[in-house]
Amino acid sequence: GAGVSQSPSNKVTEKGKDVELRCDPISGHTALYWYRQSLGQGLEFLIYFQGNSAPDKSGLPSDRFSAERTGGSVSTLTIQRTQQEDSAVYLCASSLSSGGQYFGPGTRLLVL
Amino acid sequence: AQSVTQPDIHITVSEGASLELRCNYSYGATPYLFWYVQSPGQGLQLLLKYFSGDTLVQGIKGFEAEFKRSQSSFNLRKPSVHWSDAAEYFCAVANYGGSQGNLIFGKGTKLSVKP
């Protein structure tokens, strides 16, 4: 079946611009996660959605980062006023209640 | 707070040799543990997971891992490595102790395979 998909696969933007990253989870998966992977920091948790519950935003690094999940499916991660330190690969994952997160291919973001 | 340590940054093994990648975790209760593999330019693929029960867990691609509570370890093993196993391997523990908590990852171990 179809896995987690993310778009765009690559994004180059200028410092100060806003960007939107999209994630389509596996159909029927109730939980959706965003992570960030960078050379210096490794894999970092950003935000977690579970069903209709309020999201766990404890990993967001600043208020420039936000995310929403519409209709319990697609999610968008928005970074406002991008900075060079935001350059990283942004990974999305989804899971069922039985656990085990399945990751998408990621969006590679480069802020110039 | 939960944490994961992968002591080996880079390991090189010969094709056909056995492999063991080390992982130590820090968590007060029974942890939910995972191993993922990442090939260059790819996302993370789930190799196996441990939630409870049998401490020896079988995964995909011939990998297995053993949970040892006394040593706070969850080492990944493979009896015979193939060249296609060259990749980066990440051990992770679920936060909050639940099966659906966010994952806390180790820094990863890069595996190189010699012909």
Side-chain angles (χ1 to χ4, degrees), chain A residues 13-68:
Chain A
T13 190
E14 293 178 349
K15 178 182 172 181
K17 301 282 190 183
D18 297 352
V19 295
E20 286 189 349
L21 312 180
R22 177 187 167 104
C23 172
D24 278 278
I26 294 172
S27 178
H29 279 195
T30 55
L32 186 149
Y33 311 77
W34 284 97
Y35 295 86
R36 178 170 71 174
Q37 185 175 28
S38 59
L39 279 176
Q41 301 300 320
L43 280 154
E44 302 174 280
F45 162 69
L46 296 177
I47 188 169
Y48 160 40
F49 296 90
Q50 172 57 53
N52 294 321
S53 303
D56 176 354
K57 304 179 183 180
S58 60
L60 294 179
S62 78
D63 58 8
R64 296 186 296 104
F65 288 72
S66 63
E68 62 177 21

Side-chain angles (χ1 to χ4, degrees), chain A residues 65-79:
Chain A
F65 288 72
S66 63
E68 62 177 21
R69 188 178 186 191
T70 54
S73 181
V74 171
S75 177
T76 302
L77 177 69
T78 301
I79 309 173

Side-chain angles (χ1 to χ4, degrees), chain B residues 55-72:
Chain B
T55 56
L56 186 62
V57 180
Q58 301 298 319
I60 62 171
K61 303 186 178 188
F63 286 93
E64 66 179 26
E66 186 172 13
F67 170 63
K68 291 185 178 180
R69 183 187 301 277
S70 62
Q71 298 177 19
S72 297

